[in-house]
Amino acid sequence: RDALGAQVEGDEEQLGTERSDTLMVAHVDPDQKTGLLVSFPRDLFVDIAGTSRKGRINEAYERDNPQKLIDTIYQNFGINTDHFVQVDFCAFRTLVNAVGGVAVPFATPVRDPNTGLNVPEAGCFTFDGDHALAYARSRKLQYLDPDTGEWRQDGTSDLGRISRQQDFLRRTVSSLLAKGAYNPDVAGGLIETLSE
C-alpha cells in the first residue's frame, strides 16, 4: 500500500498560502514485510493536476484536502496513493519528544543559522523536538571544516535535506520500536500526535 505524507510548512501559512515542506511516499508490502520511502524535492517542477500549468510540486498541497497532490503525483509519476498522512510541525516535535529525543552521529560540528540548528561538536547528538525540527528543515546546512577550522556550506541543499530527513525518520521509527508502543511516554506522544 502506498501512503503519501506531507509535513506542513508554517511560515508560508502565515502569508496566506500553504505548501508542504516535505513530501514522501511510503510503499509497504505487508506480505514481504518490506517498506520503501521515496521523497520528492519540494521545488520539483511538475504539471499541477487539475490545472493547465506547471509549478513546484508543493504548490499542489492543500491542507486537509490531499486529492490535488495525490492526482499530481499520479499524473507525473504513475504512483497510486491509498492513504494520506499530514503531520504538522507541532506533531513532529511531540513525536520526537515522546521517544525521548533522537540521536544522530556527526563527523563535525554543524549549524544552520536560518533554522536555529546548532550541533556544537562532533559525535552523537540527541535532538529534542524543537531542535529536531531545525535539523529536518535545514536547507543551508554548514559544517566546520576540520582542516581549515572554517564553516563551509553543504552544497547538496534540498537533496541533502531529503537525505537527512529520511535518515532522521528511520532513527525516529527505530526509537519508537525500541521503546515500544506501550511505553507511557510513547503511547501518550502517539495519541497527542494523532489528535493534532
Side-chain angles (χ1 to χ4, degrees):
R1 303 206 175 208
D2 290 338
L4 176 65
Q7 185 174 350
V8 182
E9 184 169 0
D11 52 356
E12 291 191 68
E13 182 180 348
Q14 294 170 0
L15 300 173
T17 63
E18 295 184 58
R19 296 188 179 153
S20 64
D21 193 50
T22 302
L23 294 171
M24 296 180 179
V25 172
H27 175 78
V28 177
D29 185 338
D31 294 334
Q32 299 296 318
K33 296 182 181 176
T34 60
L36 174 69
L37 189 65
V38 177
S39 295
F40 292 88
R42 70 184 200 164
D43 294 334
L44 187 64
F45 209 64
V46 297
D47 294 317
I48 304 294
T51 72
S52 59
R53 66 180 184 79
K54 291 184 176 285
R56 296 188 316 171
I57 195 168
N58 71 347
E59 292 175 36
Y61 170 78
E62 295 174 5
R63 183 187 289 270
D64 300 323
N65 181 17
Q67 198 57 54
K68 187 181 207 179
L69 181 56
I70 288 169
D71 292 344
T72 297
I73 288 175
Y74 180 77
Q75 179 179 318
N76 288 274
F77 306 103
I79 299 172
N80 286 313
T81 302
D82 298 315
H83 305 283
F84 175 79
V85 176
Q86 173 180 288
V87 178
D88 68 13
F89 289 160
C90 291
F92 176 83
R93 286 190 290 258
T94 299
L95 191 57
V96 172
N97 287 335
V99 298
V102 176
V104 178
F106 291 92
T108 68
V110 297
R111 68 182 186 186
D112 184 340
N114 294 320
T115 66
L117 171 65
N118 182 28
V119 177
E121 54 190 52
C124 198
F125 185 87
T126 301
F127 287 99
D128 67 10
D130 288 322
H131 209 176
L133 187 56
Y135 178 62
R137 294 196 71 204
S138 176
R139 292 176 74 180
K140 297 187 178 183
L141 185 100
Q142 298 173 353
Y143 64 93
L144 190 63
D145 186 323
D147 296 328
T148 66
E150 296 178 9
W151 288 99
R152 304 260 185 230
Q153 182 84 28
D154 174 23
T156 60
S157 187
D158 203 34
L159 296 178
R161 183 177 73 120
I162 286 170
S163 177
R164 290 188 297 274
Q165 287 172 343
Q166 286 198 356
D167 176 69
F168 193 84
L169 184 58
R170 280 190 294 272
R171 292 174 188 281
T172 303
V173 169
S174 292
S175 295
L176 278 168
L177 294 174
K179 281 201 161 193
Y182 297 112
N183 176 294
D185 291 335
V186 172
L190 287 171
I191 290 167
E192 187 177 342
T193 299
L194 289 171
S195 69
E196 289 176 7

